[in-house]
Amino acid sequence: MGDIVSGKGVKFSELMGFLRASLAKIPEHRRGENGHYQIADAGQAAFSVFFMQESSFLAYQASMQEKQGRNNARSLFGVAEIPSDGQTRNLLDPVDPAALAAPFWATYEALERSGALLDYRGATGTQLVSLDGTQYFASQKVHCENCRVSVRAGRTYYAHQVLLAVVGAPERPHVVCLPPEFITPQDGAEKQDCEQQAIKRWIEQQAGHFAPWSVTILTDDLHCHQPVCQLALDHHMHFILTCKPDSHLALYEELRLLERVAGAISTKTVRHWNGRHHEVWQYRWATALPLREGQAALRVSWCELTVLNEETTEQLYHNAWATDHTLDETRVEAVARDGRSRWKVENEGINVLKNRGYHFEHNYGHGDQHLSAVLLSLLLLAFLFHTALDLGCRMYRAIRQKLRTRRKFFDDLRGLTTYLYWRSFQHLLSFMYRQLELGPPPID
Ligand SMILES: [Zn+2]
């Protein structure tokens, strides 16, 4: 990739280049000529539907092609020949979704080079990577060979789950999507087991993209166990994992013993003014606690934060974490702050799949092999590209801010591309920028 965006902003055409490059590398699985070309067309076509948040985008562009002899699917998304939904389904169904990991990393690296991720550091000084399992498909009828099948009360349920990985920071509104890891039927039936298998694969495959000890993994209590912690340490990653009493009996048992020894558990209390009343933030921490029973137990640090209303003493917040970060008087606040940021990251990442208008339920259907996973990867890439532009392209960011709501922005994008032809996404942005009278265009 060289230094296409070095010291400059992030451009849509460069991001599309990342996607096109990996689609072009996908091995031929169809007989016939021009296979690569067709797979790339199908991938870019499906991507365009997600990026525009318009399920009829391709139909509008096919009609523009008839009337004007040109269309935006080709100029903006590189779709040489608009495939039918059926063709797209057939072309993408056999594709291994792992083939789409590269554009996630290329985008991440472009953001790093542009400096857009400089303030994406947690309070611990590391980048926070949240790993969360979620379901993205469920049906009692539609299914494929990679569906997870369960039977409840005599009824058969089909579902797909995925482990989402996102980079987030406490004060930043966006999350940056990293490649997801799909949970397969072979990973087992239990939520904990199958997600743990996916976490294992994710860390083994992706940890090498980060500098040693530059990242902290965040998960919920379900994965706050020795295999995940050990795996993170083996791959030179820190962890801050939610740690609840019911699921960590040995750790809390030892903690109860320490509570009887004066000074064995460190404490710190800080008063915060929240604009209406004072809050009391109580920290407690201890080190070298066993993560499980037995001789081979990994020893971890533990900290807890309780927030109380000073006047009413009502408890406003409580959580506890296991971590490998050093804890002391100053570090404990940073660790708790980073641990707390997971809920936001989880919401941001998972909300995208559920209600951000990305039209996951397009009429491509479910496929027989990998289609639903390939489509989800393309949807996450569409989300990532919008995030990358918001973080790394000043013109895009100015337009988004001026239009205020997400809905307005996408309505305008849809309207402009339905009726008018654009040579490039940059031209479309420049037009919007001028019409909104945002001043001299930024140079980046
Ligand atoms: Zn399926």
Side-chain angles (χ1 to χ4, degrees):
M1 276 160 291
D3 56 352
I4 315 167
V5 293
S6 161
K8 289 183 179 177
V10 172
K11 287 208 170 67
F12 177 77
S13 57
E14 290 154 358
L15 301 177
M16 276 311 293
F18 300 149
L19 175 60
R20 192 167 311 130
S22 41
L23 286 169
K25 278 191 208 131
I26 290 170
E28 176 59 71
H29 49 69
R30 269 169 47 109
R31 288 169 207 282
E33 285 166 21
N34 260 341
H36 290 165
Y37 190 57
Q38 290 175 2
I39 288 172
D41 268 3
Q44 285 157 189
F47 172 86
S48 72
V49 170
F50 297 136
F51 187 85
M52 298 305 290
Q53 304 204 347
E54 169 57 87
S55 57
S56 305
F57 177 72
L58 295 169
Y60 293 145
Q61 299 313 312
S63 131
M64 181 184 287
Q65 180 64 37
E66 265 178 34
K67 288 179 208 141
Q68 302 187 23
R70 57 190 187 176
N71 73 80
N72 294 307
R74 177 181 290 185
S75 60
L76 306 186
F77 299 99
V79 182
E81 210 73 58
I82 297 173
S84 69
D85 287 350
Q87 285 169 327
T88 299
R89 181 166 56 238
N90 293 338
L91 283 160
L92 297 184
D93 195 26
V95 170
D96 178 355
L100 291 171
F104 284 92
W105 285 115
T107 307
Y108 171 85
E109 285 156 17
L111 284 169
E112 281 276 30
R113 282 196 303 273
S114 76
L117 295 182
L118 281 177
D119 51 0
Y120 269 75
R121 291 274 177 274
T124 51
T126 58
Q127 229 168 42
L128 308 177
V129 174
S130 183
L131 299 175
D132 272 293
T134 188
Q135 181 162 296
Y136 67 92
F137 169 81
S139 174
Q140 287 192 52
K141 277 195 231 120
V142 179
H143 58 95
C144 71
E145 60 189 50
N146 286 309
C147 272
R148 294 165 52 81
V149 185
S150 57
V151 180
R152 292 194 299 276
R155 285 195 168 158
T156 307
Y157 294 86
Y158 302 98
H160 282 249
Q161 278 116 25
V162 63
L163 182 79
L164 293 182
V166 299
V167 175
E171 296 299 324
R172 305 293 297 160
H174 294 299
V175 296
V176 176
C177 265
L178 299 175
E181 181 63 44
F182 291 93
I183 295 167
T184 70
Q186 293 75 43
D187 288 333
E190 293 298 319
K191 182 172 163 66
Q192 181 177 337
D193 294 342
C194 65
E195 287 187 15
Q196 217 133 292
Q197 290 302 317
I199 291 177
K200 184 169 183 283
R201 283 197 298 275
W202 193 91
I203 291 181
E204 284 169 350
Q205 285 162 28
Q206 316 296 356
H209 288 273
F210 302 104
W213 305 112
S214 67
V215 158
T216 298
I217 297 286
L218 311 177
T219 73
D220 62 13
D221 179 74
L222 189 63
H223 303 301
C224 182
H225 293 297
Q226 190 142 338
V228 170
C229 297
Q230 193 59 58
L231 198 67
L233 294 176
D234 291 346
H235 289 82
H236 307 299
M237 295 168 125
H238 296 287
F239 59 84
I240 303 175
L241 311 183
T242 306
C243 181
K244 291 181 179 165
D246 340 348
S247 39
H248 297 85
L249 299 176
L251 187 147
Y252 280 87
E253 180 60 37
E254 189 149 329
L255 205 60
R256 269 190 293 279
L257 295 173
L258 289 178
E259 276 166 353
R260 298 182 198 155
V261 184
I265 298 178
S266 308
T267 60
K268 176 178 184 174
T269 303
V270 186
R271 282 177 91 209
H272 286 290
W273 175 251
N274 71 4
R276 295 189 312 278
H277 57 80
H278 273 107
E279 293 173 354
V280 180
W281 291 44
Q282 296 172 336
Y283 297 91
R284 297 202 307 151
W285 70 97
T287 53
L289 297 175
L291 202 48
R292 66 178 190 202
E293 285 177 17
Q295 289 293 312
L298 185 69
R299 298 266 161 178
V300 296
S301 294
W302 169 92
C303 67
E304 173 191 70
L305 170 62
T306 309
V307 180
L308 303 173
N309 180 323
E310 192 181 52
E311 287 143 44
T312 65
T313 70
E314 180 199 355
Q315 182 173 303
L316 305 172
Y317 178 83
H318 175 85
N319 212 342
W321 300 273
T323 182
D324 69 309
H325 279 292
T326 310
L327 292 178
D328 58 30
E329 193 74 9
T330 44
R331 300 274 295 174
V332 70
E333 287 186 68
V335 168
R337 191 171 145 88
D338 284 359
R340 278 189 90 175
S341 71
R342 198 189 70 83
W343 71 267
K344 192 202 73 185
V345 163
E346 182 188 355
N347 278 359
E348 277 295 308
I350 289 173
N351 271 344
V352 173
L353 299 181
K354 318 266 154 144
N355 45 24
R356 284 286 186 79
Y358 277 93
H359 290 281
F360 186 62
E361 307 285 327
H362 185 72
N363 47 350
Y364 293 126
H366 186 75
D368 299 318
Q369 292 173 271
H370 303 298
L371 184 66
S372 72
V374 171
L375 293 178
L376 184 74
S377 297
L378 292 170
L379 182 152
L380 291 173
L381 280 169
F383 173 56
L384 172 64
F385 284 11
H386 279 296
T387 303
L389 290 170
D390 213 348
L391 291 172
C393 172
R394 283 192 284 171
M395 197 180 279
Y396 178 101
R397 187 165 57 244
I399 295 166
R400 277 295 295 264
Q401 278 168 3
K402 178 76 178 176
L403 293 176
R404 302 176 84 96
T405 66
R406 184 178 193 88
R407 172 186 286 251
K408 174 75 177 131
F409 174 77
F410 280 100
D411 280 350
D412 284 9
L413 219 52
R414 279 190 288 262
L416 288 167
T417 52
T418 301
Y419 298 110
L420 300 169
Y421 170 80
W422 303 94
R423 265 189 294 152
S424 70
F425 193 71
Q426 204 60 32
H427 281 95
L428 171 55
L429 284 186
S430 301
F431 173 83
M432 292 172 86
Y433 193 90
R434 279 197 311 275
Q435 295 302 311
L436 291 166
E437 300 180 337
L438 289 163
I443 303 153
D444 60 6

